[in-house]
Amino acid sequence: MPVPVRLVAIAVSPMELLRPESDLARLVGTAGQVDLLTACEDGPAGAERALTSYLDYPDYDDEDEDEDEDPAGDAPDGLPWIPPHPEPVDEVPSAVARLDLPDLRLHRLGLRSPLGPGAESDLVAALSELVGFDPEPGVYCLAPVPAPGDPNRSVVVRAAQRVAQVYGLPVLRYRCLSLSVVADPA
């Protein structure tokens, strides 16, 4: 089989690329230019949303709250001092850079997991943008092996199949290894 000139790949999350012995990373490393679209971020459902408390709002008025709790003494307009929330650190770009795949371009949609009914259309639109209006010869679509028991992967696979059919692209498949936690017998 000829080596693809360009891969348009799709994965449920960046972990499929970053996990040890990743089949996706192996295939990306042997190809030319690669555009990888990831549907979701790693982590449990809703993990990307910050928790908010009614105490976070400046107009919250608590009768029991002591007005002199501002440790810095510089709260504007007498509002209670609220410590700032630290910004989450996005470690995916640096982890991908460590893979040393210079021809890889990562595109992250950040959809919520589990993928809902409208996600397939969003994935098809995003993949179509990456494929381009009239793809040149040598463009392949790379998608995970179907797994009927994994609803997220099923949506991703269906989107890749639709795009490949519309553009007449050959489809390559990669294996997704499952990570498991093994209890210490001691």
Side-chain angles (χ1 to χ4, degrees):
M1 169 162 90
V3 175
V5 173
R6 185 165 73 95
L7 285 178
V8 177
I10 187 166
V12 172
S13 75
M15 184 52 70
E16 291 180 24
L17 177 70
L18 299 173
R19 71 183 58 191
E21 300 181 27
S22 166
D23 197 32
L24 176 58
R26 182 185 60 79
L27 290 169
V28 165
T30 62
Q33 178 185 341
V34 180
D35 285 291
L36 173 60
L37 176 68
T38 59
C40 306
E41 297 301 318
D42 293 312
E48 69 279 356
R49 292 178 283 178
L51 294 177
T52 304
S53 164
Y54 62 90
L55 295 172
D56 291 338
Y57 295 98
D59 61 349
Y60 174 74
D61 187 17
D62 187 356
E63 301 294 326
D64 299 330
E65 186 175 344
D66 185 7
E67 294 294 333
D68 299 325
E69 288 189 54
D70 181 7
D74 58 358
D77 302 328
L79 296 175
W81 178 80
I82 300 172
H85 295 283
E87 290 294 319
V89 176
D90 185 5
E91 296 177 3
V92 171
S94 60
V96 170
R98 285 191 298 272
L99 293 175
D100 194 30
L101 300 169
D103 294 327
L104 172 67
R105 292 184 296 194
L106 182 63
H107 309 272
R108 298 161 63 190
L109 281 184
L111 299 175
R112 293 184 193 266
S113 179
L115 294 173
E120 185 176 337
S121 296
D122 292 339
L123 292 170
V124 167
L127 278 173
S128 296
E129 281 288 318
L130 296 176
V131 168
F133 176 69
D134 187 18
E136 64 278 2
V139 176
Y140 287 70
C141 186
L142 179 61
V145 172
D150 183 346
N152 283 347
R153 195 175 333 161
S154 296
V155 171
V156 164
V157 167
R158 282 194 311 269
Q161 288 171 331
R162 283 178 52 190
V163 168
Q165 182 179 12
V166 167
Y167 289 100
L169 302 177
V171 178
L172 302 175
R173 301 283 183 186
Y174 64 89
R175 294 173 293 121
C176 298
L177 302 175
S178 298
L179 294 178
S180 58
V181 178
V182 179
D184 185 12

